Amino acid sequence: MKKKSIIKNIYKLILIAILFACSESDDALAPYEGSPSMSNINIEENSYNPKITWLGGYVSVVGVNQGDKAALDSSLIWLIHSSGDNIQYPVTYGSLPSNAESLQSEYGGKFIESLVEDNGYNFWVLKENAWKEISGTKNKYLAFDSSIVNGEVIQVEDTLLLSDYEFTSLNYFIDAYVNIDTSNVLSAGRLAQITLQETDTSNSLIVDWEIAQTGITDSLLSAAGICIGEQYDINKALWEVWSVHEENGEAVYGKRNVLSKPFIVGQSFDSTHVFVEFPETGLERNQNYYIWIASKEWDGERRGRTVNGYAYIKLSTW
């Protein structure tokens, strides 16, 4: 019996030790309870209505400004608020979460339905306690300062400094598709002066031109194409389209003007034959390209600067 009593006491001591250890473990976690600091805003890539996520828990306010400053002013294009830090991530730009309201107009801002290619924006999130302190303020910039305690707001000139436990922001440039390096574009050839424009819908380019060759008045083209590199190379062609018609039962290419301006590289035309299909992924960044155009006066072979009915443009992308 004495042996059984000793064993029971040992079990009791083990149980007490376990409970005590659990209690110590709980106490050790106490300093980490509550909201972590706000940080790491993440913007969905290649989208004009991106999903927005962040670290630091739920928030009361999500704002988007045009430019590189978080501010309560006319640069706001989206400002949503929900009382009590009830906005969960991800938030999709332009989609109002349940129990949230849009407030950008109260600060002189104007909502736009989607973000715009090649434009910069500032995305920011804010906790309820800080919002209560600054919501009545207009035309002030917002910034975080790690030395500021929670709930405190310090104004320095035109800027409100907030705790990084309650506020964070991110500058983000919308760049979904390839861009033209405007410092490295060369248009040449007798037929026309070629101009290019980026699109905000694909990795392609808009091609336009003004006829320059004496004696040619028709602005339509008979053929066009693009290849990789700084000169024409049939083995590096990405897209090539020629007019086609039938004479005496045979197909004749490039002798009728049917391509109208402007066109998007890769688009379809009536009465043409596509010898090289434009890739679905389009053009690539950091690449050199050679775009050429021709009219029915072109001999279909030569490609120099002085060739009749022919012109080209060289470009680089980024």
Side-chain angles (χ1 to χ4, degrees):
M1 293 294 293
K2 185 178 292 186
K3 184 177 181 180
K4 288 183 178 179
S5 177
I6 293 173
I7 292 173
K8 286 183 179 179
N9 289 333
I10 291 173
Y11 281 141
K12 287 180 180 179
L13 290 173
I14 293 173
L15 180 60
I16 291 171
I18 291 172
L19 292 174
F20 183 74
C22 290
S23 176
E24 285 188 330
S25 177
D26 289 343
D27 290 342
L29 291 174
Y32 298 94
E33 292 177 353
S35 298
S37 61
M38 305 298 300
S39 63
N40 292 359
I41 293 178
N42 183 269
I43 309 302
E44 179 186 13
E45 294 184 352
N46 299 330
S47 174
Y48 299 132
N49 293 88
K51 292 180 180 179
I52 307 165
T53 59
W54 59 89
L55 295 181
Y58 300 162
V59 297
S60 182
V61 176
V62 177
V64 183
N65 291 79
Q66 289 182 315
D68 61 358
K69 298 285 188 180
L72 296 175
D73 63 12
S74 60
S75 67
L76 277 166
I77 58 172
W78 202 46
L79 180 67
I80 61 172
H81 169 256
S82 179
S83 298
D85 292 332
N86 287 318
I87 298 179
Q88 306 177 20
Y89 51 81
V91 170
T92 299
Y93 174 82
S95 297
L96 193 65
S98 59
N99 301 319
E101 57 183 343
S102 296
L103 298 178
Q104 63 275 348
S105 61
E106 294 188 12
Y107 299 90
K110 185 177 180 180
F111 172 68
I112 61 174
E113 293 186 358
S114 61
L115 306 181
V116 180
E117 177 77 354
D118 296 332
N119 276 260
Y121 300 92
N122 184 284
F123 295 79
W124 53 277
V125 293
L126 185 69
K127 296 282 190 177
E128 177 73 7
N129 287 339
W131 177 246
K132 289 178 180 178
E133 295 294 322
I134 71 170
S135 59
T137 306
K138 296 182 179 180
N139 299 317
K140 299 295 181 184
Y141 298 119
L142 310 179
F144 63 83
D145 188 323
S146 60
S147 66
I148 295 177
V149 299
N150 289 3
E152 187 179 18
V153 178
I154 298 177
Q155 181 171 335
V156 178
E157 297 179 350
D158 60 355
T159 302
L160 301 177
L161 298 178
L162 304 158
S163 165
D164 59 359
Y165 278 82
E166 297 178 302
F167 171 80
T168 191
S169 67
L170 172 74
N171 287 326
Y172 189 84
F173 191 79
I174 301 296
D175 184 21
Y177 301 109
V178 297
N179 305 280
I180 300 171
D181 180 358
T182 56
S183 67
N184 191 26
V185 176
L186 173 65
S187 176
R190 179 172 290 180
L191 176 64
Q193 178 71 28
I194 303 173
T195 56
L196 301 174
Q197 183 180 336
E198 300 161 359
T199 78
D200 59 2
T201 57
S202 68
N203 284 318
S204 188
L205 298 172
I206 300 171
V207 181
D208 203 350
W209 60 92
E210 292 295 330
I211 298 297
Q213 184 172 337
T214 301
I216 297 180
T217 58
D218 188 358
S219 65
L220 298 178
L221 303 177
S222 64
I226 182 172
C227 65
I228 298 174
E230 297 185 6
Q231 61 186 8
Y232 180 77
D233 186 341
I234 185 60
N235 297 313
K236 296 181 180 180
L238 294 180
W239 177 64
E240 200 156 305
V241 57
W242 295 56
S243 69
V244 61
H245 70 279
E246 189 175 302
E247 288 185 5
N248 301 321
E250 294 186 359
V252 178
Y253 299 100
K255 289 303 177 183
R256 287 188 178 176
N257 289 340
V258 296
L259 283 68
S260 59
K261 69 171 191 172
F263 65 74
I264 297 177
V265 172
Q267 82 173 59
S268 299
F269 301 92
D270 293 333
S271 303
T272 62
H273 179 80
V274 178
F275 285 93
V276 181
E277 294 282 354
F278 192 60
E280 290 186 6
T281 54
L283 306 180
E284 298 178 350
R285 296 184 189 272
N286 304 313
Q287 186 62 270
N288 295 322
Y289 292 103
Y290 176 102
I291 296 175
W292 60 271
I293 61 174
S295 68
K296 63 182 181 181
E297 288 79 13
W298 180 43
D299 62 17
E301 296 182 4
R302 296 180 299 154
R303 295 178 179 273
R305 287 173 175 264
T306 60
V307 174
N308 287 332
Y310 186 84
Y312 59 90
I313 187 168
K314 300 178 181 180
L315 68 137
S316 300
T317 59
W318 58 273

